[in-house]
Amino acid sequence: RGAAEAARTTLDGMAAGGMYDHVGGGFHRYSVDERWLVPHFEKMSYDNSELLKNYLHGYQVSGKPLFREIAEGIIGWVNDVLSDPRGGFYASQDADFSLEDDGDYFTWTPDELRAALSPEEARVAELYYDVGAQGEMHHNPAKNVLWIAQEPAEIAAALSIGEADVRLLLARAKGKMLAARKLRPTPYVDTTLYVAWNAMFASAYLEAY
């Protein structure tokens, strides 16, 4: 029982923190702070294949919808970014697009968020993802790492609106944020097809389907 609780706590923490890409799906390589909030933004095939298995198993054991959502997010990112149309999975997606960049593709200033969203969507997204004037990135303090700071029920109570409305606004915001992010300079994808890493993802996909 203790081991299961530790596993659930870990999966919960990773799902809510900054190591997970809340807009595009998939996990970044590792955290650079003790809060698991600021990641090294590179995404590796082999990390995500094993985390996919972990979240699938977590969902099978607990039935927790969040774990299924994270597993589907990993699959969505892999299908969108790491899948070779001819077959196979690419190796990784870089953290940055240039030497001057530090996760700019994945992080948000309040102005960037508000430019992509309606005022209602932006207000909810700012509370949900903790986007404020003071972000977490040292090279640009206005840049915010997205993480789940408040649950929809808390936001609904704070804004005096229905929880279903909050969830709808968040879903719309996420779609618009992903579309806006795809217009940014995009980190390089290593299109190497490693046999071992492909086998890891193939086994994870077999468990998913």
Side-chain angles (χ1 to χ4, degrees), residues 41-209:
F41 290 94
E42 186 178 18
K43 293 182 184 180
M44 305 301 298
S45 164
Y46 57 75
D47 287 331
N48 281 278
S49 65
E50 302 311 286
L51 285 165
L52 174 56
K53 292 179 183 178
N54 289 335
Y55 277 94
L56 287 170
H57 294 164
Y59 176 66
Q60 289 166 352
V61 171
S62 69
K64 189 167 186 175
L66 174 63
F67 294 167
R68 174 173 177 167
E69 178 184 331
I70 298 298
E72 290 174 342
I74 294 172
I75 292 170
W77 169 69
V78 171
N79 288 344
D80 189 40
V81 177
L82 288 194
S83 291
D84 188 326
R86 300 166 297 178
F89 304 105
Y90 301 143
S92 63
Q93 182 179 28
D94 280 359
D96 313 306
F97 64 85
S98 74
L99 294 176
E100 292 75 33
D101 172 35
D102 188 7
D104 286 352
Y105 179 76
F106 300 101
T107 54
W108 295 78
T109 68
D111 286 344
E112 288 171 338
L113 191 75
R114 292 166 189 167
L117 306 178
S118 72
E120 295 80 9
E121 292 162 349
R123 182 56 182 150
V124 168
E126 287 168 5
L127 292 173
Y128 187 67
Y129 293 124
D130 190 37
V131 176
Q134 183 65 41
E136 293 80 23
M137 303 306 295
H138 294 298
H139 78 296
N140 182 354
K143 278 283 194 175
N144 289 259
V145 177
L146 303 184
W147 64 289
I148 299 177
Q150 297 186 55
E151 293 297 331
E154 298 174 281
I155 298 171
L159 299 181
S160 299
I161 60 177
E163 184 177 343
D165 294 325
V166 170
R167 293 185 182 278
L168 180 59
L169 287 167
L170 285 172
R172 290 176 179 170
K174 182 177 176 180
K176 290 182 180 180
M177 290 167 71
L178 181 59
R181 199 175 78 172
K182 286 183 175 181
L183 299 177
R184 299 176 177 179
T186 305
Y188 172 76
V189 173
D190 180 353
T191 57
T192 306
L193 300 175
Y194 293 108
V195 173
W197 296 3
N198 270 258
M200 292 166 71
F201 247 123
S203 66
Y205 266 55
L206 284 174
E207 295 192 33
Y209 293 101

